Amino acid sequence: AEKRPDLDISIAGNGPKPRMCEQAHKKNTIKYLGQLGSEELKLIYKESSIGIIPYKENSAVSMPVKLFEYISNGLKVVNSLGMECAEIINDTLIGANYISEDIESLEASIDKVINMNVDVAKFNQLSKEYSIDNQYDNFSKAIHKLISK
């Protein structure tokens, strides 16, 4: 944030490095919000334009809930995960993927996403497509098809 005064960075959640986040917060380089409830997060999303999905290389996570939260709140996404999460971002053109733990790759992806124009209708369509109800219906149909064989 010191290097990029054009960015206002807020970190929510109880990630693996809370002390580092607290120290950066005290230096006014980021806003560290700690663990927030869903209503508080919705307020943060309304003030935000990008959501970052930062995971370590070789993470076992392939499809985090935060991707769907970001989509349903109209946030462009900067992601470090591969597999399905990266595919969704590439296929839908709602963000960019970066190389995990590579600060230059992260910065380049943020710059790319800042300049991206994503149609609000696209987020609305994706929000419906990836809604909990729709995912449940798809899962139920798949299970029914499987047991009907």
PDB file of all heavy atoms in Angstrom, residues 90-128:
ATOM      1  N   ASN A  90     -11.347 -17.416 -15.949  1.00  0.00           N
ATOM      2  CA  ASN A  90     -10.941 -17.332 -17.362  1.00  0.00           C
ATOM      3  C   ASN A  90     -12.144 -17.397 -18.296  1.00  0.00           C
ATOM      4  O   ASN A  90     -12.222 -16.637 -19.264  1.00  0.00           O
ATOM      5  CB  ASN A  90      -9.953 -18.450 -17.712  1.00  0.00           C
ATOM      6  CG  ASN A  90      -8.596 -18.239 -17.093  1.00  0.00           C
ATOM      7  OD1 ASN A  90      -8.199 -17.119 -16.797  1.00  0.00           O
ATOM      8  ND2 ASN A  90      -7.876 -19.316 -16.877  1.00  0.00           N
ATOM      9  N   ASP A  91     -13.075 -18.301 -18.010  1.00  0.00           N
ATOM     10  CA  ASP A  91     -14.232 -18.488 -18.888  1.00  0.00           C
ATOM     11  C   ASP A  91     -15.215 -17.320 -18.844  1.00  0.00           C
ATOM     12  O   ASP A  91     -15.842 -16.993 -19.851  1.00  0.00           O
ATOM     13  CB  ASP A  91     -14.982 -19.783 -18.540  1.00  0.00           C
ATOM     14  CG  ASP A  91     -14.174 -21.039 -18.851  1.00  0.00           C
ATOM     15  OD1 ASP A  91     -13.148 -20.941 -19.559  1.00  0.00           O
ATOM     16  OD2 ASP A  91     -14.573 -22.120 -18.372  1.00  0.00           O
ATOM     17  N   THR A  92     -15.356 -16.706 -17.681  1.00  0.00           N
ATOM     18  CA  THR A  92     -16.352 -15.640 -17.521  1.00  0.00           C
ATOM     19  C   THR A  92     -15.777 -14.234 -17.694  1.00  0.00           C
ATOM     20  O   THR A  92     -16.533 -13.275 -17.778  1.00  0.00           O
ATOM     21  CB  THR A  92     -17.012 -15.722 -16.130  1.00  0.00           C
ATOM     22  OG1 THR A  92     -15.989 -15.588 -15.124  1.00  0.00           O
ATOM     23  CG2 THR A  92     -17.758 -17.035 -15.945  1.00  0.00           C
ATOM     24  N   LEU A  93     -14.454 -14.132 -17.711  1.00  0.00           N
ATOM     25  CA  LEU A  93     -13.774 -12.833 -17.863  1.00  0.00           C
ATOM     26  C   LEU A  93     -14.178 -11.827 -16.788  1.00  0.00           C
ATOM     27  O   LEU A  93     -14.396 -10.654 -17.046  1.00  0.00           O
ATOM     28  CB  LEU A  93     -14.047 -12.254 -19.262  1.00  0.00           C
ATOM     29  CG  LEU A  93     -13.670 -13.165 -20.432  1.00  0.00           C
ATOM     30  CD1 LEU A  93     -14.125 -12.550 -21.749  1.00  0.00           C
ATOM     31  CD2 LEU A  93     -12.175 -13.444 -20.442  1.00  0.00           C
ATOM     32  N   ILE A  94     -14.241 -12.303 -15.525  1.00  0.00           N
ATOM     33  CA  ILE A  94     -14.609 -11.424 -14.404  1.00  0.00           C
ATOM     34  C   ILE A  94     -13.414 -11.064 -13.539  1.00  0.00           C
ATOM     35  O   ILE A  94     -13.579 -10.503 -12.462  1.00  0.00           O
ATOM     36  CB  ILE A  94     -15.699 -12.053 -13.520  1.00  0.00           C
ATOM     37  CG1 ILE A  94     -15.219 -13.398 -12.955  1.00  0.00           C
ATOM     38  CG2 ILE A  94     -17.006 -12.181 -14.275  1.00  0.00           C
ATOM     39  CD1 ILE A  94     -16.011 -13.892 -11.778  1.00  0.00           C
ATOM     40  N   GLY A  95     -12.222 -11.390 -13.997  1.00  0.00           N
ATOM     41  CA  GLY A  95     -11.047 -11.090 -13.194  1.00  0.00           C
ATOM     42  C   GLY A  95      -9.791 -11.635 -13.831  1.00  0.00           C
ATOM     43  O   GLY A  95      -9.729 -11.847 -15.038  1.00  0.00           O
ATOM     44  N   ALA A  96      -8.795 -11.876 -12.981  1.00  0.00           N
ATOM     45  CA  ALA A  96      -7.504 -12.372 -13.459  1.00  0.00           C
ATOM     46  C   ALA A  96      -6.918 -13.319 -12.425  1.00  0.00           C
ATOM     47  O   ALA A  96      -7.199 -13.200 -11.226  1.00  0.00           O
ATOM     48  CB  ALA A  96      -6.549 -11.202 -13.697  1.00  0.00           C
ATOM     49  N   ASN A  97      -6.116 -14.235 -12.898  1.00  0.00           N
ATOM     50  CA  ASN A  97      -5.413 -15.171 -12.023  1.00  0.00           C
ATOM     51  C   ASN A  97      -3.958 -14.733 -11.892  1.00  0.00           C
ATOM     52  O   ASN A  97      -3.405 -14.136 -12.807  1.00  0.00           O
ATOM     53  CB  ASN A  97      -5.490 -16.578 -12.616  1.00  0.00           C
ATOM     54  CG  ASN A  97      -6.917 -17.056 -12.711  1.00  0.00           C
ATOM     55  OD1 ASN A  97      -7.615 -17.158 -11.714  1.00  0.00           O
ATOM     56  ND2 ASN A  97      -7.366 -17.341 -13.916  1.00  0.00           N
ATOM     57  N   TYR A  98      -3.381 -15.012 -10.734  1.00  0.00           N
ATOM     58  CA  TYR A  98      -1.966 -14.678 -10.534  1.00  0.00           C
ATOM     59  C   TYR A  98      -1.233 -15.869  -9.950  1.00  0.00           C
ATOM     60  O   TYR A  98      -1.849 -16.823  -9.468  1.00  0.00           O
ATOM     61  CB  TYR A  98      -1.809 -13.437  -9.658  1.00  0.00           C
ATOM     62  CG  TYR A  98      -2.099 -13.609  -8.185  1.00  0.00           C
ATOM     63  CD1 TYR A  98      -1.068 -13.835  -7.278  1.00  0.00           C
ATOM     64  CD2 TYR A  98      -3.388 -13.519  -7.685  1.00  0.00           C
ATOM     65  CE1 TYR A  98      -1.312 -13.981  -5.917  1.00  0.00           C
ATOM     66  CE2 TYR A  98      -3.654 -13.654  -6.328  1.00  0.00           C
ATOM     67  CZ  TYR A  98      -2.613 -13.885  -5.454  1.00  0.00           C
ATOM     68  OH  TYR A  98      -2.864 -14.033  -4.113  1.00  0.00           O
ATOM     69  N   ILE A  99       0.075 -15.811 -10.012  1.00  0.00           N
ATOM     70  CA  ILE A  99       0.917 -16.885  -9.481  1.00  0.00           C
ATOM     71  C   ILE A  99       1.001 -16.717  -7.967  1.00  0.00           C
ATOM     72  O   ILE A  99       1.420 -15.669  -7.465  1.00  0.00           O
ATOM     73  CB  ILE A  99       2.327 -16.848 -10.107  1.00  0.00           C
ATOM     74  CG1 ILE A  99       2.217 -17.022 -11.627  1.00  0.00           C
ATOM     75  CG2 ILE A  99       3.225 -17.912  -9.485  1.00  0.00           C
ATOM     76  CD1 ILE A  99       3.490 -16.662 -12.378  1.00  0.00           C
ATOM     77  N   SER A 100       0.592 -17.747  -7.268  1.00  0.00           N
ATOM     78  CA  SER A 100       0.579 -17.725  -5.813  1.00  0.00           C
ATOM     79  C   SER A 100       1.925 -17.306  -5.239  1.00  0.00           C
ATOM     80  O   SER A 100       2.977 -17.754  -5.715  1.00  0.00           O
ATOM     81  CB  SER A 100       0.215 -19.117  -5.297  1.00  0.00           C
ATOM     82  OG  SER A 100       0.181 -19.128  -3.897  1.00  0.00           O
ATOM     83  N   GLU A 101       1.887 -16.425  -4.244  1.00  0.00           N
ATOM     84  CA  GLU A 101       3.061 -15.960  -3.504  1.00  0.00           C
ATOM     85  C   GLU A 101       4.039 -15.153  -4.360  1.00  0.00           C
ATOM     86  O   GLU A 101       5.185 -14.961  -3.964  1.00  0.00           O
ATOM     87  CB  GLU A 101       3.767 -17.138  -2.816  1.00  0.00           C
ATOM     88  CG  GLU A 101       2.828 -17.895  -1.868  1.00  0.00           C
ATOM     89  CD  GLU A 101       3.488 -19.069  -1.185  1.00  0.00           C
ATOM     90  OE1 GLU A 101       4.504 -18.849  -0.494  1.00  0.00           O
ATOM     91  OE2 GLU A 101       2.974 -20.195  -1.338  1.00  0.00           O
ATOM     92  N   ASP A 102       3.593 -14.663  -5.516  1.00  0.00           N
ATOM     93  CA  ASP A 102       4.426 -13.851  -6.402  1.00  0.00           C
ATOM     94  C   ASP A 102       3.843 -12.434  -6.423  1.00  0.00           C
ATOM     95  O   ASP A 102       2.842 -12.176  -7.082  1.00  0.00           O
ATOM     96  CB  ASP A 102       4.436 -14.462  -7.806  1.00  0.00           C
ATOM     97  CG  ASP A 102       5.321 -13.704  -8.787  1.00  0.00           C
ATOM     98  OD1 ASP A 102       5.478 -12.471  -8.646  1.00  0.00           O
ATOM     99  OD2 ASP A 102       5.837 -14.350  -9.714  1.00  0.00           O
ATOM    100  N   ILE A 103       4.460 -11.525  -5.697  1.00  0.00           N
ATOM    101  CA  ILE A 103       3.930 -10.171  -5.520  1.00  0.00           C
ATOM    102  C   ILE A 103       3.824  -9.422  -6.841  1.00  0.00           C
ATOM    103  O   ILE A 103       2.882  -8.658  -7.060  1.00  0.00           O
ATOM    104  CB  ILE A 103       4.741  -9.381  -4.463  1.00  0.00           C
ATOM    105  CG1 ILE A 103       3.998  -8.118  -4.028  1.00  0.00           C
ATOM    106  CG2 ILE A 103       6.116  -9.033  -4.965  1.00  0.00           C
ATOM    107  CD1 ILE A 103       2.764  -8.360  -3.230  1.00  0.00           C
ATOM    108  N   GLU A 104       4.787  -9.631  -7.744  1.00  0.00           N
ATOM    109  CA  GLU A 104       4.724  -8.950  -9.048  1.00  0.00           C
ATOM    110  C   GLU A 104       3.563  -9.465  -9.887  1.00  0.00           C
ATOM    111  O   GLU A 104       2.890  -8.693 -10.571  1.00  0.00           O
ATOM    112  CB  GLU A 104       6.060  -9.082  -9.784  1.00  0.00           C
ATOM    113  CG  GLU A 104       7.110  -8.166  -9.182  1.00  0.00           C
ATOM    114  CD  GLU A 104       8.522  -8.726  -9.292  1.00  0.00           C
ATOM    115  OE1 GLU A 104       8.713  -9.776  -9.921  1.00  0.00           O
ATOM    116  OE2 GLU A 104       9.423  -8.102  -8.709  1.00  0.00           O
ATOM    117  N   SER A 105       3.313 -10.757  -9.819  1.00  0.00           N
ATOM    118  CA  SER A 105       2.174 -11.342 -10.528  1.00  0.00           C
ATOM    119  C   SER A 105       0.864 -10.824  -9.945  1.00  0.00           C
ATOM    120  O   SER A 105      -0.076 -10.490 -10.681  1.00  0.00           O
ATOM    121  CB  SER A 105       2.239 -12.874 -10.438  1.00  0.00           C
ATOM    122  OG  SER A 105       1.127 -13.461 -11.054  1.00  0.00           O
ATOM    123  N   LEU A 106       0.806 -10.728  -8.615  1.00  0.00           N
ATOM    124  CA  LEU A 106      -0.382 -10.180  -7.952  1.00  0.00           C
ATOM    125  C   LEU A 106      -0.617  -8.743  -8.391  1.00  0.00           C
ATOM    126  O   LEU A 106      -1.736  -8.371  -8.768  1.00  0.00           O
ATOM    127  CB  LEU A 106      -0.220 -10.254  -6.425  1.00  0.00           C
ATOM    128  CG  LEU A 106      -1.293  -9.543  -5.596  1.00  0.00           C
ATOM    129  CD1 LEU A 106      -2.674 -10.121  -5.842  1.00  0.00           C
ATOM    130  CD2 LEU A 106      -0.927  -9.614  -4.110  1.00  0.00           C
ATOM    131  N   GLU A 107       0.422  -7.933  -8.364  1.00  0.00           N
ATOM    132  CA  GLU A 107       0.293  -6.522  -8.751  1.00  0.00           C
ATOM    133  C   GLU A 107      -0.154  -6.380 -10.201  1.00  0.00           C
ATOM    134  O   GLU A 107      -1.029  -5.574 -10.526  1.00  0.00           O
ATOM    135  CB  GLU A 107       1.618  -5.785  -8.524  1.00  0.00           C
ATOM    136  CG  GLU A 107       1.490  -4.290  -8.747  1.00  0.00           C
ATOM    137  CD  GLU A 107       2.746  -3.528  -8.370  1.00  0.00           C
ATOM    138  OE1 GLU A 107       3.808  -4.140  -8.119  1.00  0.00           O
ATOM    139  OE2 GLU A 107       2.660  -2.282  -8.328  1.00  0.00           O
ATOM    140  N   ALA A 108       0.409  -7.201 -11.096  1.00  0.00           N
ATOM    141  CA  ALA A 108       0.021  -7.151 -12.510  1.00  0.00           C
ATOM    142  C   ALA A 108      -1.445  -7.546 -12.682  1.00  0.00           C
ATOM    143  O   ALA A 108      -2.176  -6.931 -13.475  1.00  0.00           O
ATOM    144  CB  ALA A 108       0.920  -8.062 -13.338  1.00  0.00           C
ATOM    145  N   SER A 109      -1.898  -8.537 -11.924  1.00  0.00           N
ATOM    146  CA  SER A 109      -3.295  -8.960 -12.012  1.00  0.00           C
ATOM    147  C   SER A 109      -4.237  -7.896 -11.463  1.00  0.00           C
ATOM    148  O   SER A 109      -5.306  -7.663 -12.023  1.00  0.00           O
ATOM    149  CB  SER A 109      -3.500 -10.286 -11.279  1.00  0.00           C
ATOM    150  OG  SER A 109      -2.848 -11.320 -11.970  1.00  0.00           O
ATOM    151  N   ILE A 110      -3.836  -7.237 -10.385  1.00  0.00           N
ATOM    152  CA  ILE A 110      -4.650  -6.137  -9.841  1.00  0.00           C
ATOM    153  C   ILE A 110      -4.762  -5.028 -10.877  1.00  0.00           C
ATOM    154  O   ILE A 110      -5.853  -4.515 -11.136  1.00  0.00           O
ATOM    155  CB  ILE A 110      -4.073  -5.620  -8.504  1.00  0.00           C
ATOM    156  CG1 ILE A 110      -4.283  -6.659  -7.395  1.00  0.00           C
ATOM    157  CG2 ILE A 110      -4.713  -4.282  -8.119  1.00  0.00           C
ATOM    158  CD1 ILE A 110      -3.562  -6.347  -6.096  1.00  0.00           C
ATOM    159  N   ASP A 111      -3.642  -4.660 -11.489  1.00  0.00           N
ATOM    160  CA  ASP A 111      -3.664  -3.614 -12.517  1.00  0.00           C
ATOM    161  C   ASP A 111      -4.573  -4.004 -13.680  1.00  0.00           C
ATOM    162  O   ASP A 111      -5.339  -3.187 -14.189  1.00  0.00           O
ATOM    163  CB  ASP A 111      -2.256  -3.317 -13.023  1.00  0.00           C
ATOM    164  CG  ASP A 111      -1.431  -2.533 -12.018  1.00  0.00           C
ATOM    165  OD1 ASP A 111      -2.027  -1.864 -11.141  1.00  0.00           O
ATOM    166  OD2 ASP A 111      -0.195  -2.591 -12.100  1.00  0.00           O
ATOM    167  N   LYS A 112      -4.478  -5.252 -14.103  1.00  0.00           N
ATOM    168  CA  LYS A 112      -5.320  -5.736 -15.207  1.00  0.00           C
ATOM    169  C   LYS A 112      -6.803  -5.625 -14.844  1.00  0.00           C
ATOM    170  O   LYS A 112      -7.618  -5.144 -15.636  1.00  0.00           O
ATOM    171  CB  LYS A 112      -4.965  -7.186 -15.535  1.00  0.00           C
ATOM    172  CG  LYS A 112      -5.803  -7.804 -16.623  1.00  0.00           C
ATOM    173  CD  LYS A 112      -5.384  -9.245 -16.888  1.00  0.00           C
ATOM    174  CE  LYS A 112      -6.277  -9.881 -17.945  1.00  0.00           C
ATOM    175  NZ  LYS A 112      -5.893 -11.281 -18.179  1.00  0.00           N
ATOM    176  N   VAL A 113      -7.145  -6.051 -13.634  1.00  0.00           N
ATOM    177  CA  VAL A 113      -8.543  -6.070 -13.203  1.00  0.00           C
ATOM    178  C   VAL A 113      -9.082  -4.656 -12.967  1.00  0.00           C
ATOM    179  O   VAL A 113     -10.243  -4.374 -13.269  1.00  0.00           O
ATOM    180  CB  VAL A 113      -8.700  -6.961 -11.951  1.00  0.00           C
ATOM    181  CG1 VAL A 113     -10.059  -6.816 -11.318  1.00  0.00           C
ATOM    182  CG2 VAL A 113      -8.446  -8.415 -12.325  1.00  0.00           C
ATOM    183  N   ILE A 114      -8.240  -3.757 -12.465  1.00  0.00           N
ATOM    184  CA  ILE A 114      -8.669  -2.369 -12.262  1.00  0.00           C
ATOM    185  C   ILE A 114      -9.172  -1.782 -13.576  1.00  0.00           C
ATOM    186  O   ILE A 114     -10.169  -1.068 -13.600  1.00  0.00           O
ATOM    187  CB  ILE A 114      -7.509  -1.512 -11.690  1.00  0.00           C
ATOM    188  CG1 ILE A 114      -7.303  -1.825 -10.216  1.00  0.00           C
ATOM    189  CG2 ILE A 114      -7.774  -0.020 -11.891  1.00  0.00           C
ATOM    190  CD1 ILE A 114      -6.061  -1.181  -9.615  1.00  0.00           C
ATOM    191  N   ASN A 115      -8.496  -2.104 -14.661  1.00  0.00           N
ATOM    192  CA  ASN A 115      -8.845  -1.544 -15.964  1.00  0.00           C
ATOM    193  C   ASN A 115      -9.890  -2.352 -16.734  1.00  0.00           C
ATOM    194  O   ASN A 115     -10.238  -1.989 -17.851  1.00  0.00           O
ATOM    195  CB  ASN A 115      -7.575  -1.388 -16.805  1.00  0.00           C
ATOM    196  CG  ASN A 115      -6.627  -0.394 -16.173  1.00  0.00           C
ATOM    197  OD1 ASN A 115      -7.019   0.707 -15.797  1.00  0.00           O
ATOM    198  ND2 ASN A 115      -5.381  -0.787 -16.014  1.00  0.00           N
ATOM    199  N   MET A 116     -10.378  -3.440 -16.140  1.00  0.00           N
ATOM    200  CA  MET A 116     -11.384  -4.282 -16.788  1.00  0.00           C
ATOM    201  C   MET A 116     -12.772  -3.673 -16.660  1.00  0.00           C
ATOM    202  O   MET A 116     -13.126  -3.169 -15.604  1.00  0.00           O
ATOM    203  CB  MET A 116     -11.457  -5.641 -16.078  1.00  0.00           C
ATOM    204  CG  MET A 116     -10.739  -6.738 -16.676  1.00  0.00           C
ATOM    205  SD  MET A 116     -11.088  -8.205 -15.655  1.00  0.00           S
ATOM    206  CE  MET A 116     -10.534  -9.411 -16.777  1.00  0.00           C
ATOM    207  N   ASN A 117     -13.534  -3.769 -17.723  1.00  0.00           N
ATOM    208  CA  ASN A 117     -14.943  -3.399 -17.667  1.00  0.00           C
ATOM    209  C   ASN A 117     -15.760  -4.682 -17.730  1.00  0.00           C
ATOM    210  O   ASN A 117     -15.706  -5.396 -18.727  1.00  0.00           O
ATOM    211  CB  ASN A 117     -15.320  -2.490 -18.844  1.00  0.00           C
ATOM    212  CG  ASN A 117     -14.719  -1.119 -18.695  1.00  0.00           C
ATOM    213  OD1 ASN A 117     -14.665  -0.579 -17.597  1.00  0.00           O
ATOM    214  ND2 ASN A 117     -14.232  -0.562 -19.785  1.00  0.00           N
ATOM    215  N   VAL A 118     -16.458  -4.976 -16.639  1.00  0.00           N
ATOM    216  CA  VAL A 118     -17.316  -6.150 -16.591  1.00  0.00           C
ATOM    217  C   VAL A 118     -18.749  -5.654 -16.465  1.00  0.00           C
ATOM    218  O   VAL A 118     -19.068  -4.863 -15.578  1.00  0.00           O
ATOM    219  CB  VAL A 118     -16.957  -7.084 -15.416  1.00  0.00           C
ATOM    220  CG1 VAL A 118     -17.864  -8.298 -15.401  1.00  0.00           C
ATOM    221  CG2 VAL A 118     -15.491  -7.508 -15.494  1.00  0.00           C
ATOM    222  N   ASP A 119     -19.576  -6.109 -17.366  1.00  0.00           N
ATOM    223  CA  ASP A 119     -20.972  -5.708 -17.411  1.00  0.00           C
ATOM    224  C   ASP A 119     -21.714  -6.183 -16.154  1.00  0.00           C
ATOM    225  O   ASP A 119     -21.556  -7.332 -15.730  1.00  0.00           O
ATOM    226  CB  ASP A 119     -21.610  -6.322 -18.663  1.00  0.00           C
ATOM    227  CG  ASP A 119     -23.023  -5.856 -18.907  1.00  0.00           C
ATOM    228  OD1 ASP A 119     -23.495  -4.962 -18.197  1.00  0.00           O
ATOM    229  OD2 ASP A 119     -23.640  -6.405 -19.837  1.00  0.00           O
ATOM    230  N   VAL A 120     -22.510  -5.310 -15.579  1.00  0.00           N
ATOM    231  CA  VAL A 120     -23.308  -5.652 -14.398  1.00  0.00           C
ATOM    232  C   VAL A 120     -24.222  -6.833 -14.702  1.00  0.00           C
ATOM    233  O   VAL A 120     -24.429  -7.713 -13.859  1.00  0.00           O
ATOM    234  CB  VAL A 120     -24.131  -4.427 -13.921  1.00  0.00           C
ATOM    235  CG1 VAL A 120     -25.088  -4.811 -12.815  1.00  0.00           C
ATOM    236  CG2 VAL A 120     -23.197  -3.323 -13.445  1.00  0.00           C
ATOM    237  N   ALA A 121     -24.760  -6.894 -15.914  1.00  0.00           N
ATOM    238  CA  ALA A 121     -25.631  -8.003 -16.310  1.00  0.00           C
ATOM    239  C   ALA A 121     -24.884  -9.334 -16.222  1.00  0.00           C
ATOM    240  O   ALA A 121     -25.477 -10.365 -15.883  1.00  0.00           O
ATOM    241  CB  ALA A 121     -26.174  -7.780 -17.716  1.00  0.00           C
ATOM    242  N   LYS A 122     -23.595  -9.321 -16.509  1.00  0.00           N
ATOM    243  CA  LYS A 122     -22.773 -10.532 -16.425  1.00  0.00           C
ATOM    244  C   LYS A 122     -22.724 -11.037 -14.983  1.00  0.00           C
ATOM    245  O   LYS A 122     -22.896 -12.222 -14.724  1.00  0.00           O
ATOM    246  CB  LYS A 122     -21.358 -10.232 -16.936  1.00  0.00           C
ATOM    247  CG  LYS A 122     -20.391 -11.355 -16.822  1.00  0.00           C
ATOM    248  CD  LYS A 122     -20.690 -12.402 -17.848  1.00  0.00           C
ATOM    249  CE  LYS A 122     -19.438 -13.047 -18.329  1.00  0.00           C
ATOM    250  NZ  LYS A 122     -19.731 -14.023 -19.357  1.00  0.00           N
ATOM    251  N   PHE A 123     -22.515 -10.116 -14.037  1.00  0.00           N
ATOM    252  CA  PHE A 123     -22.500 -10.509 -12.630  1.00  0.00           C
ATOM    253  C   PHE A 123     -23.867 -11.017 -12.194  1.00  0.00           C
ATOM    254  O   PHE A 123     -23.965 -11.982 -11.434  1.00  0.00           O
ATOM    255  CB  PHE A 123     -22.041  -9.356 -11.733  1.00  0.00           C
ATOM    256  CG  PHE A 123     -20.555  -9.178 -11.701  1.00  0.00           C
ATOM    257  CD1 PHE A 123     -19.970  -8.070 -12.272  1.00  0.00           C
ATOM    258  CD2 PHE A 123     -19.733 -10.121 -11.108  1.00  0.00           C
ATOM    259  CE1 PHE A 123     -18.592  -7.897 -12.244  1.00  0.00           C
ATOM    260  CE2 PHE A 123     -18.354  -9.960 -11.079  1.00  0.00           C
ATOM    261  CZ  PHE A 123     -17.788  -8.846 -11.648  1.00  0.00           C
ATOM    262  N   ASN A 124     -24.935 -10.376 -12.657  1.00  0.00           N
ATOM    263  CA  ASN A 124     -26.278 -10.824 -12.303  1.00  0.00           C
ATOM    264  C   ASN A 124     -26.529 -12.239 -12.808  1.00  0.00           C
ATOM    265  O   ASN A 124     -27.075 -13.081 -12.085  1.00  0.00           O
ATOM    266  CB  ASN A 124     -27.340  -9.868 -12.850  1.00  0.00           C
ATOM    267  CG  ASN A 124     -27.316  -8.532 -12.144  1.00  0.00           C
ATOM    268  OD1 ASN A 124     -26.839  -8.420 -11.021  1.00  0.00           O
ATOM    269  ND2 ASN A 124     -27.812  -7.508 -12.802  1.00  0.00           N
ATOM    270  N   GLN A 125     -26.130 -12.504 -14.047  1.00  0.00           N
ATOM    271  CA  GLN A 125     -26.305 -13.835 -14.635  1.00  0.00           C
ATOM    272  C   GLN A 125     -25.480 -14.871 -13.862  1.00  0.00           C
ATOM    273  O   GLN A 125     -25.974 -15.942 -13.523  1.00  0.00           O
ATOM    274  CB  GLN A 125     -25.900 -13.796 -16.110  1.00  0.00           C
ATOM    275  CG  GLN A 125     -26.024 -15.127 -16.831  1.00  0.00           C
ATOM    276  CD  GLN A 125     -24.674 -15.703 -17.236  1.00  0.00           C
ATOM    277  OE1 GLN A 125     -23.739 -14.977 -17.529  1.00  0.00           O
ATOM    278  NE2 GLN A 125     -24.566 -17.007 -17.234  1.00  0.00           N
ATOM    279  N   LEU A 126     -24.228 -14.542 -13.551  1.00  0.00           N
ATOM    280  CA  LEU A 126     -23.367 -15.470 -12.815  1.00  0.00           C
ATOM    281  C   LEU A 126     -23.862 -15.683 -11.395  1.00  0.00           C
ATOM    282  O   LEU A 126     -23.790 -16.791 -10.863  1.00  0.00           O
ATOM    283  CB  LEU A 126     -21.928 -14.954 -12.791  1.00  0.00           C
ATOM    284  CG  LEU A 126     -21.194 -14.987 -14.121  1.00  0.00           C
ATOM    285  CD1 LEU A 126     -19.872 -14.249 -14.010  1.00  0.00           C
ATOM    286  CD2 LEU A 126     -20.976 -16.415 -14.582  1.00  0.00           C
ATOM    287  N   SER A 127     -24.368 -14.637 -10.790  1.00  0.00           N
ATOM    288  CA  SER A 127     -24.894 -14.733  -9.434  1.00  0.00           C
ATOM    289  C   SER A 127     -26.040 -15.739  -9.382  1.00  0.00           C
ATOM    290  O   SER A 127     -26.135 -16.550  -8.457  1.00  0.00           O
ATOM    291  CB  SER A 127     -25.359 -13.360  -8.959  1.00  0.00           C
ATOM    292  OG  SER A 127     -25.743 -13.427  -7.611  1.00  0.00           O
ATOM    293  N   LYS A 128     -26.904 -15.705 -10.384  1.00  0.00           N
ATOM    294  CA  LYS A 128     -28.011 -16.672 -10.448  1.00  0.00           C
ATOM    295  C   LYS A 128     -27.484 -18.070 -10.729  1.00  0.00           C
ATOM    296  O   LYS A 128     -27.901 -19.045 -10.113  1.00  0.00           O
ATOM    297  CB  LYS A 128     -29.012 -16.259 -11.527  1.00  0.00           C
ATOM    298  CG  LYS A 128     -29.824 -15.049 -11.151  1.00  0.00           C
ATOM    299  CD  LYS A 128     -30.734 -14.631 -12.281  1.00  0.00           C
ATOM    300  CE  LYS A 128     -31.382 -13.293 -11.935  1.00  0.00           C
ATOM    301  NZ  LYS A 128     -32.054 -12.702 -13.080  1.00  0.00           N
TER     302      LYS A 128
END
